[in-house]
Amino acid sequence: MEALQKKAKALLENGTVKVVIGFAAGTDAQTARPLFARTPEQAGKLIWGESCKQNLATYLLKPEVKALGKAAVVGRVTTARTVMQYAAENQIADDAAVLLIVSDDGQITELAKFADLEVYLAKVPRGLSPEAQKEIERLQAMPLEQRWAFWSAEMSRCIKCYACRAACPMCYCARCITEVNQPQWIPVATDPLGNLEWNIVRAMHLAGRCVDCGSCSDACPQGIRLDLLNRVLAQEVLTSFGGEAGYSTRKEYALSTFKPDDKEEFIR
Amino acid sequence: MSETRILQKKSLGELFAKLTAAGQRLLAPVKEGELLNFAEVKSPEQVALDYIQTRSSAKLATFPPYEPLLRYKFNGKDVEQQPAEPDKRPTVLFGAHPCDAASFATLKAVFTWDSPDAQFETRLANLTIIGLACTKADAYCFCTSVGGSPGDTRGSDMLLTPLDAERFLVEVLTPKGQAVVAAAPQLFTPAGNETKDKVLAKVAPRFSADKLKEKLPAAFGNNAVWVEQSLRCLGCGACAFVCPTCSCFDIQDERNREGGTRLRCWDSCGFSLFTLHASGHNPRHVQSERWRQRVMHKFSYQPERLGVLGCVGCGRCSRTCPVDMNLAEHAQALAEMKA
């Protein structure tokens, strides 16, 4: 924690960044909250720990935060992957933000250039957390009807607050499909159809773009494991098309890339 | 009107059976995994009696997440309309804490201030609230800052306070509460000198809602304060949807070529679409302005126009917020702000 504060203070003092986006203590011991440190004193409030889960790269695209000036963001590997994916989708310029990536053993790596991010990410281990892997295997082992019943029950708790969308760094559409209301594409009601449509549309739009941060399910007030949908789709994209989001600045979005030499004949 | 009685916890099953036999639907806090939500129950075994707060609020008893207002059919150039039948089911809301019970006064003030609202008013008229006083609270509770308290009787028809592991002290507060006693009079025994104060949770006041109301009109134009408070706000609707007094809604038509249904659905002032004009202009174009609206509406506009606070201090918004926006903390800062 001290090393993180020291690094943040130095970045603010030498003028590299105007704001360090990290975590401060929250309302209770299990809760951390985003901190926007603009002075070295404020950087003294930075903390790091189990409760610091949110993917703060989300804020890099928020107008009020952009207005503060160049930012440093505290995070994990998934935060770095977010910036890489932003780069691939032309949402951020090279060297426009500094990343302070904290590893599991507390080492802090400072990265800003896309090229350095690519090198760093090439070395980190890939794959799902054992918990997510186990849960996905449990669900995939279910007969179709049982899996449908599981997801129907999960989705029935959805209150359409869109906290998943708001917390998701890749849900940055200025006008989300739910906001296209002439005509209304996605039903507003939280009935079974409306909930299913929203959550499926979101999962599909993130297929091959999700960076595996889990902020969607952390944000969900009803504890729906939306991350599992995204993680399975990421695996599907990897298996079928070979791409993983957030490891390079090359745009390899499986669902919108067309190649004249595609192996499938129907698309040519 | 308040009489006190004693009800044994082991008698709840019998009380539930009598109420159900009398045609009442029972809504109560139910544990689903790690979460608590209000749901329909049949027996007390399903009910969580020892809890601090449910995730969703009790407002769904009178204001559900979505409801049909009317159905229509196209018939050549004509439209046949069929207003939706108001929901008349007699319902007992069991085990709601005093903050939830108090929230119905705010909802009522909003839904009945001008034209009658058959859907809301019918549900409220058929609702009996058996409140449950709080014996514990957490860092998010702030009822005592907004006129409530852990043993507050406002809004409840009957308030239960768990005196010990076996007994509830029962305060019978309204004719609807008396009707509950009348459904099973043998279960409600004389109370003697028992009082509830010694078991109630302690919630220290954080701010004065009156002082906050005085400060807010001048704070409206202090843009820096709203930007600073809401920098981390993500603009989702979680706070509004779990809030027991947030009552904004959207009217939506679900339709096809033959006809459709006009629905009322929960909406939130935190969404950018909320104030978007048809012209494309959005009077609240950034999140700080939406956050300001949320605070102003609850602590200034509603008290001023309707005579009720738009907050009961349940703390759900803050517990639920993905970025730990703490309403009490922000309200306190605004109330203590130097002019």
Side-chain angles (χ1 to χ4, degrees):
Chain A
M1 208 183 297
E2 253 175 56
L4 182 65
Q5 290 178 1
K6 213 172 134 191
K7 235 182 173 83
K9 280 179 192 174
L11 286 171
L12 289 165
E13 269 162 4
N14 66 26
T16 310
V17 300
K18 296 281 187 215
V19 56
V20 176
I21 310 172
F23 294 95
T27 302
D28 61 24
Q30 293 82 47
T31 315
R33 64 171 62 156
L35 171 76
F36 298 84
R38 280 148 283 173
T39 63
E41 294 72 52
Q42 288 170 342
K45 289 188 192 160
L46 282 170
I47 62 159
W48 182 257
E50 278 286 296
S51 58
C52 306
K53 287 199 280 190
Q54 192 196 345
N55 186 339
L56 300 176
T58 306
Y59 289 114
L60 290 172
L61 305 187
K62 183 177 171 175
E64 291 97 323
V65 176
K66 275 184 174 174
L68 299 175
K70 186 169 177 176
V73 182
V74 178
R76 305 163 191 276
V77 168
T78 49
T79 317
R81 284 181 65 189
T82 305
V83 172
M84 233 4 12
Q85 190 63 19
Y86 280 164
E89 298 183 12
N90 301 318
Q91 295 303 310
I92 196 168
D94 197 2
D95 209 12
V98 177
L99 289 175
L100 299 174
I101 303 303
V102 190
S103 63
D104 290 343
D105 59 358
Q107 295 298 313
I108 302 165
T109 310
E110 185 182 326
L111 299 156
K113 296 242 187 269
F114 292 162
D116 297 338
L117 267 164
E118 261 181 348
V119 171
Y120 172 79
L121 286 167
K123 285 185 221 151
V124 300
R126 298 194 185 192
L128 295 175
S129 72
E131 187 276 333
Q133 187 65 45
K134 213 175 130 194
E135 189 61 7
I136 287 170
E137 279 165 16
R138 183 179 78 84
L139 292 174
Q140 288 186 328
M142 287 179 181
L144 203 57
E145 297 75 30
Q146 200 185 336
R147 211 183 317 150
W148 176 249
F150 169 83
W151 282 112
S152 299
E154 287 288 295
M155 297 308 176
S156 72
R157 296 203 306 275
C158 174
I159 54 173
K160 289 253 185 82
C161 67
Y162 302 124
C164 47
R165 177 184 73 178
C168 173
M170 299 321 297
C171 268
Y172 59 74
C173 293
R175 198 169 176 213
C176 174
I177 184 78
T178 61
E179 280 148 11
V180 180
N181 59 355
Q182 289 178 345
Q184 184 74 45
W185 280 72
I186 309 293
V188 173
T190 49
D191 57 7
L193 181 68
N195 282 353
L196 207 64
E197 272 194 55
W198 158 241
N199 287 294
I200 288 177
V201 161
R202 184 172 172 276
M204 288 305 286
H205 198 187
L206 289 165
R209 298 176 60 240
C210 169
V211 294
D212 199 24
C213 66
S215 288
C216 50
S217 13
D218 289 339
C220 179
Q222 295 292 355
I224 305 172
R225 288 294 303 270
L226 300 164
D227 62 307
L228 297 177
L229 287 180
N230 297 324
R231 285 172 170 147
V232 168
L233 284 174
Q235 284 180 333
E236 295 288 337
V237 169
L238 178 63
T239 318
S240 305
F241 305 100
E244 271 187 290
Y247 287 105
S248 99
T249 55
R250 288 186 307 280
K251 191 172 177 183
E252 288 173 340
Y253 179 31
L255 300 191
S256 69
T257 307
F258 170 77
K259 289 178 184 161
D261 57 343
D262 198 287
K263 64 182 179 185
E264 298 290 349
E265 250 181 55
F266 73 92
I267 209 164
R268 275 184 255 151
Chain B
M1 162 200 252
S2 172
E3 328 159 13
T4 50
R5 295 272 194 284
I6 293 291
L7 173 68
Q8 302 293 324
K9 276 190 190 169
K10 62 172 194 280
S11 307
L12 279 181
E14 209 178 326
L15 178 64
F16 278 27
K18 294 277 187 203
L19 291 170
T20 311
Q24 296 279 356
R25 176 174 69 124
L26 294 168
L27 288 179
V30 172
K31 202 162 189 318
E32 301 169 343
E34 285 174 15
L35 296 174
L36 283 157
N37 279 313
F38 286 99
E40 208 168 323
V41 296
K42 293 276 177 245
S43 80
E45 288 76 46
Q46 294 169 273
V47 180
L49 287 171
D50 185 31
Y51 74 100
I52 291 181
Q53 199 55 279
T54 57
R55 184 44 62 106
S56 288
S57 78
K59 75 177 168 192
L60 48 80
T62 54
F63 177 39
Y66 71 97
E67 62 182 318
L69 298 178
L70 65 93
R71 294 184 175 81
Y72 53 89
K73 244 193 214 159
F74 301 119
N75 193 354
K77 285 187 177 170
D78 289 332
V79 184
E80 286 170 30
Q81 291 184 45
Q82 182 75 48
E85 251 323 283
D87 181 358
K88 293 198 185 80
R89 287 176 293 176
T91 299
V92 171
L93 175 63
F94 179 89
H97 283 323
C99 47
D100 265 323
S103 71
F104 292 97
T106 303
L107 292 175
K108 188 180 174 191
V110 175
F111 280 105
T112 62
W113 77 278
D114 53 358
S115 52
D117 189 308
Q119 313 295 328
F120 175 84
E121 289 177 55
T122 305
R123 285 201 191 88
L124 189 63
N126 288 300
L127 184 68
T128 301
I129 301 173
I130 303 182
L132 180 66
C134 300
T135 54
K136 55 186 186 184
D138 67 10
Y140 297 91
C141 293
F142 63 101
C143 54
T144 49
S145 302
V146 288
S149 69
D152 191 11
T153 55
R154 289 176 314 161
S156 288
D157 296 301
M158 172 184 276
L159 183 70
L160 307 182
T161 304
L163 292 174
D164 47 46
E166 283 89 41
R167 303 172 306 149
F168 290 115
L169 179 71
V170 181
E171 290 169 85
V172 186
L173 300 154
T174 68
K176 282 180 182 174
Q178 285 176 327
V180 173
V181 176
Q186 73 287 359
L187 302 180
F188 295 89
T189 55
N193 300 325
E194 295 279 6
T195 56
K196 60 183 175 180
D197 292 351
K198 59 184 186 296
V199 298
L200 293 177
K202 302 276 180 290
V203 178
R206 309 259 311 256
F207 61 91
S208 149
D210 287 337
K211 209 165 149 194
L212 178 60
K213 187 187 151 200
E214 276 168 38
K215 287 279 179 75
L216 283 176
F220 183 91
N222 192 342
N223 196 43
V225 171
W226 305 108
V227 170
E228 192 58 37
Q229 289 200 345
S230 67
L231 259 182
R232 65 183 185 272
C233 175
L234 294 167
C236 74
C239 50
F241 289 180
V242 298
C243 173
T245 62
C246 269
S247 51
C248 288
F249 57 79
D250 185 18
I251 303 287
Q252 282 283 334
D253 277 13
E254 298 273 344
R255 49 165 283 190
N256 56 29
R257 285 166 58 179
E258 282 88 41
T261 306
R262 181 154 297 174
L263 298 169
R264 165 154 74 192
C265 306
W266 286 353
D267 204 350
S268 164
C269 60
F271 292 147
S272 61
L273 204 63
F274 189 77
T275 45
L276 183 65
H277 292 185
S279 65
H281 170 65
N282 195 340
R284 294 184 209 135
H285 76 291
V286 285
Q287 205 55 37
S288 51
E289 291 167 351
R290 297 171 206 137
W291 166 249
R292 178 182 66 192
Q293 167 63 21
R294 181 169 174 77
V295 175
M296 295 295 294
H297 195 196
K298 291 189 170 300
F299 298 104
S300 178
Y301 307 149
Q302 284 197 336
E304 194 184 308
R305 297 193 56 195
L306 304 173
V308 290
L309 267 170
C311 177
V312 291
C314 69
R316 283 189 181 88
C317 53
S318 318
R319 275 185 211 92
T320 306
C321 179
V323 295
D324 196 38
M325 295 273 285
N326 189 307
L327 184 60
E329 189 183 310
H330 286 141
Q332 186 180 350
L334 288 160
E336 289 168 4
M337 199 166 71
K338 296 204 172 56

PDB file of all heavy atoms in Angstrom, chain A residues 196-210 229-230 233 236-237 253-256:
ATOM      1  N   LEU A 196     -34.469 -11.479 -20.333  1.00  0.00           N
ATOM      2  CA  LEU A 196     -33.679 -12.384 -21.145  1.00  0.00           C
ATOM      3  C   LEU A 196     -33.093 -11.648 -22.343  1.00  0.00           C
ATOM      4  O   LEU A 196     -31.913 -11.789 -22.661  1.00  0.00           O
ATOM      5  CB  LEU A 196     -34.559 -13.546 -21.600  1.00  0.00           C
ATOM      6  CG  LEU A 196     -33.837 -14.843 -21.877  1.00  0.00           C
ATOM      7  CD1 LEU A 196     -33.202 -15.374 -20.598  1.00  0.00           C
ATOM      8  CD2 LEU A 196     -34.806 -15.868 -22.437  1.00  0.00           C
ATOM      9  N   GLU A 197     -33.935 -10.833 -22.986  1.00  0.00           N
ATOM     10  CA  GLU A 197     -33.464 -10.098 -24.168  1.00  0.00           C
ATOM     11  C   GLU A 197     -32.308  -9.187 -23.812  1.00  0.00           C
ATOM     12  O   GLU A 197     -31.300  -9.138 -24.505  1.00  0.00           O
ATOM     13  CB  GLU A 197     -34.601  -9.279 -24.786  1.00  0.00           C
ATOM     14  CG  GLU A 197     -35.391 -10.065 -25.799  1.00  0.00           C
ATOM     15  CD  GLU A 197     -36.274  -9.176 -26.655  1.00  0.00           C
ATOM     16  OE1 GLU A 197     -35.769  -8.227 -27.273  1.00  0.00           O
ATOM     17  OE2 GLU A 197     -37.496  -9.431 -26.683  1.00  0.00           O
ATOM     18  N   TRP A 198     -32.471  -8.439 -22.717  1.00  0.00           N
ATOM     19  CA  TRP A 198     -31.409  -7.516 -22.320  1.00  0.00           C
ATOM     20  C   TRP A 198     -30.117  -8.273 -22.045  1.00  0.00           C
ATOM     21  O   TRP A 198     -29.054  -7.935 -22.570  1.00  0.00           O
ATOM     22  CB  TRP A 198     -31.827  -6.696 -21.098  1.00  0.00           C
ATOM     23  CG  TRP A 198     -30.655  -6.144 -20.329  1.00  0.00           C
ATOM     24  CD1 TRP A 198     -30.327  -6.403 -19.044  1.00  0.00           C
ATOM     25  CD2 TRP A 198     -29.635  -5.254 -20.825  1.00  0.00           C
ATOM     26  NE1 TRP A 198     -29.173  -5.750 -18.696  1.00  0.00           N
ATOM     27  CE2 TRP A 198     -28.722  -5.036 -19.778  1.00  0.00           C
ATOM     28  CE3 TRP A 198     -29.391  -4.648 -22.061  1.00  0.00           C
ATOM     29  CZ2 TRP A 198     -27.599  -4.229 -19.910  1.00  0.00           C
ATOM     30  CZ3 TRP A 198     -28.253  -3.837 -22.195  1.00  0.00           C
ATOM     31  CH2 TRP A 198     -27.380  -3.634 -21.126  1.00  0.00           C
ATOM     32  N   ASN A 199     -30.206  -9.304 -21.238  1.00  0.00           N
ATOM     33  CA  ASN A 199     -28.978  -9.977 -20.821  1.00  0.00           C
ATOM     34  C   ASN A 199     -28.321 -10.758 -21.953  1.00  0.00           C
ATOM     35  O   ASN A 199     -27.097 -10.889 -21.995  1.00  0.00           O
ATOM     36  CB  ASN A 199     -29.247 -10.856 -19.596  1.00  0.00           C
ATOM     37  CG  ASN A 199     -29.443 -10.013 -18.346  1.00  0.00           C
ATOM     38  OD1 ASN A 199     -28.515  -9.358 -17.895  1.00  0.00           O
ATOM     39  ND2 ASN A 199     -30.655  -9.987 -17.795  1.00  0.00           N
ATOM     40  N   ILE A 200     -29.125 -11.245 -22.898  1.00  0.00           N
ATOM     41  CA  ILE A 200     -28.541 -11.951 -24.040  1.00  0.00           C
ATOM     42  C   ILE A 200     -27.893 -10.954 -25.008  1.00  0.00           C
ATOM     43  O   ILE A 200     -26.787 -11.177 -25.496  1.00  0.00           O
ATOM     44  CB  ILE A 200     -29.599 -12.838 -24.744  1.00  0.00           C
ATOM     45  CG1 ILE A 200     -29.916 -14.040 -23.847  1.00  0.00           C
ATOM     46  CG2 ILE A 200     -29.101 -13.309 -26.101  1.00  0.00           C
ATOM     47  CD1 ILE A 200     -30.986 -14.961 -24.391  1.00  0.00           C
ATOM     48  N   VAL A 201     -28.584  -9.839 -25.233  1.00  0.00           N
ATOM     49  CA  VAL A 201     -28.005  -8.822 -26.125  1.00  0.00           C
ATOM     50  C   VAL A 201     -26.671  -8.344 -25.576  1.00  0.00           C
ATOM     51  O   VAL A 201     -25.677  -8.229 -26.297  1.00  0.00           O
ATOM     52  CB  VAL A 201     -28.982  -7.629 -26.296  1.00  0.00           C
ATOM     53  CG1 VAL A 201     -28.251  -6.402 -26.812  1.00  0.00           C
ATOM     54  CG2 VAL A 201     -30.102  -8.003 -27.244  1.00  0.00           C
ATOM     55  N   ARG A 202     -26.647  -8.112 -24.265  1.00  0.00           N
ATOM     56  CA  ARG A 202     -25.410  -7.624 -23.653  1.00  0.00           C
ATOM     57  C   ARG A 202     -24.301  -8.675 -23.775  1.00  0.00           C
ATOM     58  O   ARG A 202     -23.169  -8.358 -24.173  1.00  0.00           O
ATOM     59  CB  ARG A 202     -25.651  -7.270 -22.190  1.00  0.00           C
ATOM     60  CG  ARG A 202     -24.440  -6.675 -21.560  1.00  0.00           C
ATOM     61  CD  ARG A 202     -24.657  -6.132 -20.172  1.00  0.00           C
ATOM     62  NE  ARG A 202     -23.358  -5.776 -19.664  1.00  0.00           N
ATOM     63  CZ  ARG A 202     -22.516  -6.627 -19.096  1.00  0.00           C
ATOM     64  NH1 ARG A 202     -22.888  -7.873 -18.911  1.00  0.00           N
ATOM     65  NH2 ARG A 202     -21.331  -6.245 -18.717  1.00  0.00           N
ATOM     66  N   ALA A 203     -24.639  -9.918 -23.470  1.00  0.00           N
ATOM     67  CA  ALA A 203     -23.630 -10.977 -23.555  1.00  0.00           C
ATOM     68  C   ALA A 203     -23.101 -11.102 -24.982  1.00  0.00           C
ATOM     69  O   ALA A 203     -21.886 -11.241 -25.204  1.00  0.00           O
ATOM     70  CB  ALA A 203     -24.215 -12.301 -23.073  1.00  0.00           C
ATOM     71  N   MET A 204     -23.991 -11.031 -25.966  1.00  0.00           N
ATOM     72  CA  MET A 204     -23.563 -11.174 -27.359  1.00  0.00           C
ATOM     73  C   MET A 204     -22.684 -10.012 -27.792  1.00  0.00           C
ATOM     74  O   MET A 204     -21.725 -10.170 -28.538  1.00  0.00           O
ATOM     75  CB  MET A 204     -24.784 -11.300 -28.285  1.00  0.00           C
ATOM     76  CG  MET A 204     -25.508 -12.625 -28.185  1.00  0.00           C
ATOM     77  SD  MET A 204     -24.430 -14.057 -28.461  1.00  0.00           S
ATOM     78  CE  MET A 204     -24.203 -13.950 -30.229  1.00  0.00           C
ATOM     79  N   HIS A 205     -23.042  -8.805 -27.335  1.00  0.00           N
ATOM     80  CA  HIS A 205     -22.246  -7.649 -27.742  1.00  0.00           C
ATOM     81  C   HIS A 205     -20.851  -7.694 -27.117  1.00  0.00           C
ATOM     82  O   HIS A 205     -19.912  -7.073 -27.601  1.00  0.00           O
ATOM     83  CB  HIS A 205     -22.951  -6.340 -27.368  1.00  0.00           C
ATOM     84  CG  HIS A 205     -22.417  -5.154 -28.110  1.00  0.00           C
ATOM     85  ND1 HIS A 205     -22.784  -3.867 -27.838  1.00  0.00           N
ATOM     86  CD2 HIS A 205     -21.520  -5.070 -29.121  1.00  0.00           C
ATOM     87  CE1 HIS A 205     -22.134  -3.047 -28.635  1.00  0.00           C
ATOM     88  NE2 HIS A 205     -21.367  -3.743 -29.433  1.00  0.00           N
ATOM     89  N   LEU A 206     -20.732  -8.443 -26.021  1.00  0.00           N
ATOM     90  CA  LEU A 206     -19.433  -8.552 -25.358  1.00  0.00           C
ATOM     91  C   LEU A 206     -18.656  -9.798 -25.772  1.00  0.00           C
ATOM     92  O   LEU A 206     -17.516  -9.980 -25.354  1.00  0.00           O
ATOM     93  CB  LEU A 206     -19.623  -8.541 -23.841  1.00  0.00           C
ATOM     94  CG  LEU A 206     -20.039  -7.180 -23.274  1.00  0.00           C
ATOM     95  CD1 LEU A 206     -20.564  -7.337 -21.870  1.00  0.00           C
ATOM     96  CD2 LEU A 206     -18.875  -6.217 -23.297  1.00  0.00           C
ATOM     97  N   ALA A 207     -19.291 -10.631 -26.588  1.00  0.00           N
ATOM     98  CA  ALA A 207     -18.617 -11.867 -26.996  1.00  0.00           C
ATOM     99  C   ALA A 207     -17.322 -11.528 -27.730  1.00  0.00           C
ATOM    100  O   ALA A 207     -17.335 -10.853 -28.750  1.00  0.00           O
ATOM    101  CB  ALA A 207     -19.533 -12.690 -27.896  1.00  0.00           C
ATOM    102  N   GLY A 208     -16.212 -11.951 -27.168  1.00  0.00           N
ATOM    103  CA  GLY A 208     -14.930 -11.657 -27.793  1.00  0.00           C
ATOM    104  C   GLY A 208     -14.401 -10.281 -27.443  1.00  0.00           C
ATOM    105  O   GLY A 208     -13.332  -9.890 -27.890  1.00  0.00           O
ATOM    106  N   ARG A 209     -15.148  -9.520 -26.629  1.00  0.00           N
ATOM    107  CA  ARG A 209     -14.671  -8.197 -26.210  1.00  0.00           C
ATOM    108  C   ARG A 209     -14.479  -8.134 -24.697  1.00  0.00           C
ATOM    109  O   ARG A 209     -13.802  -7.250 -24.179  1.00  0.00           O
ATOM    110  CB  ARG A 209     -15.671  -7.116 -26.633  1.00  0.00           C
ATOM    111  CG  ARG A 209     -15.866  -7.010 -28.141  1.00  0.00           C
ATOM    112  CD  ARG A 209     -16.944  -5.990 -28.484  1.00  0.00           C
ATOM    113  NE  ARG A 209     -16.606  -4.672 -27.992  1.00  0.00           N
ATOM    114  CZ  ARG A 209     -17.358  -3.987 -27.122  1.00  0.00           C
ATOM    115  NH1 ARG A 209     -18.482  -4.494 -26.663  1.00  0.00           N
ATOM    116  NH2 ARG A 209     -16.983  -2.797 -26.718  1.00  0.00           N
ATOM    117  N   CYS A 210     -15.125  -9.061 -23.984  1.00  0.00           N
ATOM    118  CA  CYS A 210     -15.051  -9.076 -22.525  1.00  0.00           C
ATOM    119  C   CYS A 210     -13.612  -9.330 -22.080  1.00  0.00           C
ATOM    120  O   CYS A 210     -12.943 -10.209 -22.605  1.00  0.00           O
ATOM    121  CB  CYS A 210     -15.965 -10.167 -21.992  1.00  0.00           C
ATOM    122  SG  CYS A 210     -15.747 -10.509 -20.239  1.00  0.00           S
ATOM    123  N   LEU A 229     -21.669 -15.921 -18.205  1.00  0.00           N
ATOM    124  CA  LEU A 229     -22.107 -15.865 -19.612  1.00  0.00           C
ATOM    125  C   LEU A 229     -20.986 -15.314 -20.478  1.00  0.00           C
ATOM    126  O   LEU A 229     -20.657 -15.854 -21.534  1.00  0.00           O
ATOM    127  CB  LEU A 229     -23.317 -14.937 -19.756  1.00  0.00           C
ATOM    128  CG  LEU A 229     -24.663 -15.406 -19.228  1.00  0.00           C
ATOM    129  CD1 LEU A 229     -25.700 -14.327 -19.483  1.00  0.00           C
ATOM    130  CD2 LEU A 229     -25.071 -16.694 -19.931  1.00  0.00           C
ATOM    131  N   ASN A 230     -20.410 -14.198 -20.022  1.00  0.00           N
ATOM    132  CA  ASN A 230     -19.353 -13.561 -20.803  1.00  0.00           C
ATOM    133  C   ASN A 230     -18.129 -14.461 -20.924  1.00  0.00           C
ATOM    134  O   ASN A 230     -17.475 -14.510 -21.962  1.00  0.00           O
ATOM    135  CB  ASN A 230     -18.957 -12.233 -20.164  1.00  0.00           C
ATOM    136  CG  ASN A 230     -20.108 -11.243 -20.161  1.00  0.00           C
ATOM    137  OD1 ASN A 230     -20.893 -11.207 -21.102  1.00  0.00           O
ATOM    138  ND2 ASN A 230     -20.230 -10.474 -19.105  1.00  0.00           N
ATOM    139  N   LEU A 233     -18.742 -17.231 -23.428  1.00  0.00           N
ATOM    140  CA  LEU A 233     -18.691 -16.711 -24.793  1.00  0.00           C
ATOM    141  C   LEU A 233     -17.251 -16.398 -25.207  1.00  0.00           C
ATOM    142  O   LEU A 233     -16.877 -16.599 -26.360  1.00  0.00           O
ATOM    143  CB  LEU A 233     -19.583 -15.477 -24.935  1.00  0.00           C
ATOM    144  CG  LEU A 233     -21.080 -15.813 -25.012  1.00  0.00           C
ATOM    145  CD1 LEU A 233     -21.920 -14.553 -25.000  1.00  0.00           C
ATOM    146  CD2 LEU A 233     -21.392 -16.616 -26.268  1.00  0.00           C
ATOM    147  N   GLU A 236     -15.832 -19.579 -26.252  1.00  0.00           N
ATOM    148  CA  GLU A 236     -16.370 -19.970 -27.562  1.00  0.00           C
ATOM    149  C   GLU A 236     -15.644 -19.228 -28.679  1.00  0.00           C
ATOM    150  O   GLU A 236     -15.286 -19.823 -29.707  1.00  0.00           O
ATOM    151  CB  GLU A 236     -17.873 -19.641 -27.659  1.00  0.00           C
ATOM    152  CG  GLU A 236     -18.762 -20.440 -26.706  1.00  0.00           C
ATOM    153  CD  GLU A 236     -18.887 -21.898 -27.123  1.00  0.00           C
ATOM    154  OE1 GLU A 236     -18.678 -22.190 -28.311  1.00  0.00           O
ATOM    155  OE2 GLU A 236     -19.188 -22.730 -26.245  1.00  0.00           O
ATOM    156  N   VAL A 237     -15.450 -17.935 -28.477  1.00  0.00           N
ATOM    157  CA  VAL A 237     -14.775 -17.133 -29.503  1.00  0.00           C
ATOM    158  C   VAL A 237     -13.334 -17.608 -29.673  1.00  0.00           C
ATOM    159  O   VAL A 237     -12.837 -17.734 -30.788  1.00  0.00           O
ATOM    160  CB  VAL A 237     -14.832 -15.627 -29.140  1.00  0.00           C
ATOM    161  CG1 VAL A 237     -13.907 -14.807 -30.044  1.00  0.00           C
ATOM    162  CG2 VAL A 237     -16.260 -15.103 -29.259  1.00  0.00           C
ATOM    163  N   TYR A 253     -12.145  -8.406 -33.466  1.00  0.00           N
ATOM    164  CA  TYR A 253     -13.463  -8.656 -32.900  1.00  0.00           C
ATOM    165  C   TYR A 253     -14.211  -9.658 -33.769  1.00  0.00           C
ATOM    166  O   TYR A 253     -14.650  -9.354 -34.863  1.00  0.00           O
ATOM    167  CB  TYR A 253     -14.213  -7.328 -32.762  1.00  0.00           C
ATOM    168  CG  TYR A 253     -15.605  -7.458 -32.207  1.00  0.00           C
ATOM    169  CD1 TYR A 253     -15.918  -8.473 -31.302  1.00  0.00           C
ATOM    170  CD2 TYR A 253     -16.604  -6.568 -32.561  1.00  0.00           C
ATOM    171  CE1 TYR A 253     -17.191  -8.592 -30.785  1.00  0.00           C
ATOM    172  CE2 TYR A 253     -17.874  -6.681 -32.045  1.00  0.00           C
ATOM    173  CZ  TYR A 253     -18.158  -7.700 -31.159  1.00  0.00           C
ATOM    174  OH  TYR A 253     -19.417  -7.819 -30.656  1.00  0.00           O
ATOM    175  N   ALA A 254     -14.333 -10.855 -33.241  1.00  0.00           N
ATOM    176  CA  ALA A 254     -14.835 -11.985 -34.022  1.00  0.00           C
ATOM    177  C   ALA A 254     -16.170 -11.700 -34.706  1.00  0.00           C
ATOM    178  O   ALA A 254     -16.405 -12.148 -35.824  1.00  0.00           O
ATOM    179  CB  ALA A 254     -14.960 -13.209 -33.116  1.00  0.00           C
ATOM    180  N   LEU A 255     -17.042 -10.956 -34.036  1.00  0.00           N
ATOM    181  CA  LEU A 255     -18.386 -10.809 -34.571  1.00  0.00           C
ATOM    182  C   LEU A 255     -18.530  -9.665 -35.571  1.00  0.00           C
ATOM    183  O   LEU A 255     -19.610  -9.435 -36.092  1.00  0.00           O
ATOM    184  CB  LEU A 255     -19.399 -10.654 -33.432  1.00  0.00           C
ATOM    185  CG  LEU A 255     -19.465 -11.837 -32.453  1.00  0.00           C
ATOM    186  CD1 LEU A 255     -20.664 -11.695 -31.536  1.00  0.00           C
ATOM    187  CD2 LEU A 255     -19.531 -13.166 -33.171  1.00  0.00           C
ATOM    188  N   SER A 256     -17.468  -8.923 -35.830  1.00  0.00           N
ATOM    189  CA  SER A 256     -17.611  -7.873 -36.842  1.00  0.00           C
ATOM    190  C   SER A 256     -16.429  -7.815 -37.803  1.00  0.00           C
ATOM    191  O   SER A 256     -16.232  -6.857 -38.502  1.00  0.00           O
ATOM    192  CB  SER A 256     -17.804  -6.504 -36.174  1.00  0.00           C
ATOM    193  OG  SER A 256     -16.613  -6.125 -35.537  1.00  0.00           O
TER     194      SER A 256
END
